[in-house]
Amino acid sequence: MTNKTDGKENQMWGGRFSRGPSAIMEEINASIDIDRRLWREDIAGSKAHAAMLAAAKIISVKDNEAIQHGLGQITSEIERDEFAFSKALEDIHMNIEARLKEIIGEPAGRLHTARSRNDQVATDFRLWVRRACEEAETSLKALMLALTKKAGENADAVMPGFTHLQTAQPVTFGHHLLAYVEMFSRDAARFADARARMNESPLGAAALAGTSFPIDRDATAAALGFDRPCANSLDAVSSRDFALEALSAASITATHLSRLAEELVLWTSPHFGFVRLSDAFSTGSSIMPQKRNPDAAELVRAKAGRIIASLNNLLIVMKGLPLAYSKDMQEDKAATFEGMDALSLGLAAMTGMIGDLEANESAMKEAAGRGYSTATDLADWLVRSLNMPFRQAHHVTGAAVALAEKKGVALDALPLEDMQKIEPKITKDIFSVLSVQASVASRTSFGGAAPANVKREASRWLAALNKEKN
């Protein structure tokens, strides 16, 4: 099957023009290569609009039946990859309308009554972005579930916590992973908020001023799953903040993905050796047979740039446009599609990596003991046991660390008599807090790294995520 309509026969612009567009104009004006992805949304919007027109007696029941049948046939043709998209017809809206005319004839011309391409594309685009937000939220929760399961399995696995990428205090691998669960939960909430805010229907706003036909915008809004119609016709066709908000949420999510990806890159290196990615998410080298490259993590890290660039792209497109519609806004979809596609792929890849990775507990524990990571525990013991002011305890601890460093031993290997030369009141009880296990176990404050806390939080998240999943 092929569309019979070519550029010369394109009458969608009406009788205002005596000549067709130049080849260059046709090329820059066409968006079908991008917006063909909106075909489902376009057909859904047209079906809802036609049904409303018939209910309002603006078109006949017979014409509506013909339109519904024709749109159903077009759906089947596109699904079977038998629909010929034409660049001469500019966009998805005209491609579908032209084919509808071939199928049903004159009734196809009644479909566009009380409607403009301006409110049509705004509706289609909102429907697509709404679905993309739902899919992002679902994907985020799948990643959160993978992180939570891995956190529960590693609640007792001691690892170094870092500040400035320098060893700071011991934590557990489970606690570290749950930090990302918290971040991604906020990302999921941002997508849910964005979806709720964008859930208003532009359909019926027409070109910019509404229509004189007695349409029922509440009916079309309900048919398409919107909460209500947009209250202002100018705003309905000229706003793209719903896409900007979705891309903003995507960009924040991408920064979180990138940070986790960066840690996977570090952790899989021989210098850390904290985790091992499965073969499914690693690659080799063409010349160095020993290499296991964390390419999936590196590519997720890089995707953040594309997503943030998509947000910047759309911000720059929109920043100087007067109300209402301008052709510049045709560029909104390419940026949004690219950004949301990159996010979708990044979330899927990260979920796979987290699900498959294996933690090297011995390497993490050994690293946690380096860098005098229990120094704060020594200072805290001095405050608790000797009633020493913290600033003085900090000074005493610093001197103990300097001595241990000079002798080339860990803090818990520094002899008691050496510690007592620095502070005579120190007793052998000090050694009860200087191991990395004791340090982590003591962090029982709300939100702290104690294994008991981690197990409790992992169980809470697991229950919440499984409940939503079911």
Side-chain angles (χ1 to χ4, degrees):
M1 190 283 299
T2 57
N3 287 342
K4 298 175 183 177
T5 307
D6 59 23
K8 293 180 180 178
E9 296 170 351
N10 180 3
Q11 296 299 313
M12 298 299 174
W13 293 349
R16 174 66 177 83
F17 295 85
S18 59
R19 296 175 57 195
S22 71
I24 294 173
M25 180 61 194
E26 185 175 287
E27 184 68 24
I28 196 172
N29 196 48
S31 62
I32 188 59
D33 291 342
I34 300 297
D35 63 28
R36 63 192 295 172
R37 292 179 61 165
L38 297 175
W39 70 266
R40 289 183 180 85
E41 290 78 13
D42 196 72
I43 289 174
S46 290
K47 284 188 169 186
H49 185 67
M52 179 277 295
L53 292 176
K57 303 189 184 316
I58 298 171
I59 66 173
S60 69
V61 172
K62 184 178 180 181
D63 283 346
N64 177 47
E65 289 174 349
I67 290 169
Q68 300 293 338
H69 168 74
L71 292 172
Q73 181 175 327
I74 292 171
T75 297
S76 297
E77 290 174 357
I78 297 176
E79 288 176 340
R80 295 194 304 265
D81 200 24
E82 296 175 355
F83 187 93
F85 292 96
S86 168
K87 184 169 285 189
L89 292 171
E90 298 183 22
D91 56 31
I92 187 62
H93 323 298
M94 287 187 171
N95 269 265
I96 288 176
E97 187 173 330
R99 177 58 182 151
L100 184 64
K101 184 177 180 182
E102 291 176 355
I103 296 170
I104 68 172
E106 182 189 23
R110 302 187 188 282
L111 173 59
H112 212 53
T113 306
R115 186 177 74 170
S116 163
R117 274 196 299 176
N118 292 356
D119 62 334
Q120 189 177 358
V121 68
T123 302
D124 293 357
F125 197 26
R126 278 197 192 228
L127 288 170
W128 189 94
V129 175
R130 185 180 71 181
R131 178 163 53 85
C133 286
E134 293 166 354
E135 291 172 356
E137 187 180 357
T138 298
S139 296
L140 275 162
K141 289 177 179 176
L143 173 55
M144 290 166 62
L145 187 59
L147 286 163
T148 299
K149 288 179 178 177
K150 196 65 66 174
E153 295 167 6
N154 293 276
D156 296 300
V158 179
M159 70 173 289
F162 299 96
T163 61
H164 309 279
L165 202 55
Q166 306 297 311
T167 301
Q169 294 176 330
V171 294
T172 71
F173 189 46
H175 189 63
H176 197 112
L177 295 179
L178 286 178
Y180 282 103
V181 174
E182 296 289 336
M183 293 182 200
F184 290 130
S185 72
R186 294 191 294 272
D187 293 328
R190 273 185 277 272
F191 280 110
D193 289 345
R195 186 210 183 280
R197 240 183 311 281
M198 73 179 65
N199 206 34
E200 297 182 343
S201 174
L203 194 56
L208 75 163
T211 178
S212 58
F213 288 94
I215 61 172
D216 185 350
R217 293 189 64 207
D218 288 305
T220 51
L224 295 170
F226 289 111
D227 294 331
R228 64 192 71 84
C230 296
N232 184 284
S233 59
L234 280 169
D235 174 58
V237 300
S238 61
S239 294
R240 293 295 184 270
D241 54 357
F242 61 91
L244 288 169
E245 188 168 7
L247 287 173
S248 296
S251 296
I252 296 171
T253 303
T255 63
H256 293 155
L257 284 172
S258 184
R259 294 182 74 180
L260 179 52
E262 167 69 6
E263 294 200 307
L264 291 178
V265 171
L266 291 172
W267 293 344
T268 55
S269 71
H271 305 287
F272 281 77
F274 290 178
V275 302
R276 179 183 176 90
L277 292 178
S278 71
D279 291 350
F281 294 97
S282 304
T283 64
S285 165
S286 63
I287 190 172
M288 296 169 283
Q290 83 282 6
K291 294 288 294 298
R292 282 180 60 85
N293 298 325
D295 281 8
E298 292 172 358
L299 289 167
V300 168
R301 186 174 59 185
K303 293 291 183 189
R306 297 177 73 92
I307 295 165
I308 294 166
S310 294
L311 171 60
N312 286 337
N313 185 340
L314 187 53
L315 284 167
I316 293 166
V317 166
M318 296 301 300
K319 71 175 182 59
L321 300 186
L323 301 183
Y325 183 83
S326 297
K327 195 68 171 181
D328 312 52
M329 291 161 69
Q330 183 169 288
E331 297 296 316
D332 56 4
K333 286 166 284 298
T336 306
F337 292 162
E338 181 172 8
M340 299 307 289
D341 286 349
L343 178 68
S344 178
L345 185 56
L347 285 169
M350 185 58 74
T351 302
M353 282 186 281
I354 294 298
D356 283 1
L357 70 80
E358 298 176 5
N360 185 341
E361 292 189 38
S362 60
M364 288 191 289
K365 183 179 178 182
E366 193 273 330
R370 295 198 299 263
Y372 304 100
S373 63
T374 59
T376 305
D377 297 278
L378 194 159
D380 288 346
W381 184 90
L382 293 172
V383 171
R384 280 195 312 270
S385 301
L386 304 184
N387 197 30
M388 186 179 291
F390 182 80
R391 286 303 172 198
Q392 183 182 347
H394 188 283
H395 177 78
V396 170
T397 300
V401 169
L403 182 58
E405 193 172 37
K406 183 178 179 180
K407 291 195 169 191
V409 298
L411 267 179
D412 59 356
L414 193 65
L416 177 62
E417 54 269 26
D418 284 348
M419 291 192 187
Q420 289 175 332
K421 289 177 183 177
I422 299 169
E423 172 48 62
K425 294 180 181 179
I426 292 177
T427 70
K428 64 180 180 179
D429 289 344
I430 190 65
F431 294 103
S432 67
V433 301
L434 292 184
S435 70
V436 290
Q437 294 97 326
S439 174
V440 169
S442 71
R443 307 296 172 181
T444 56
S445 60
F446 180 77
N453 285 5
V454 176
K455 291 172 184 176
R456 184 173 58 251
E457 282 300 292
S459 295
R460 181 182 71 80
W461 272 116
L462 197 61
L465 291 165
N466 281 328
K467 182 179 180 181
E468 289 187 23
K469 189 177 178 181
N470 296 329

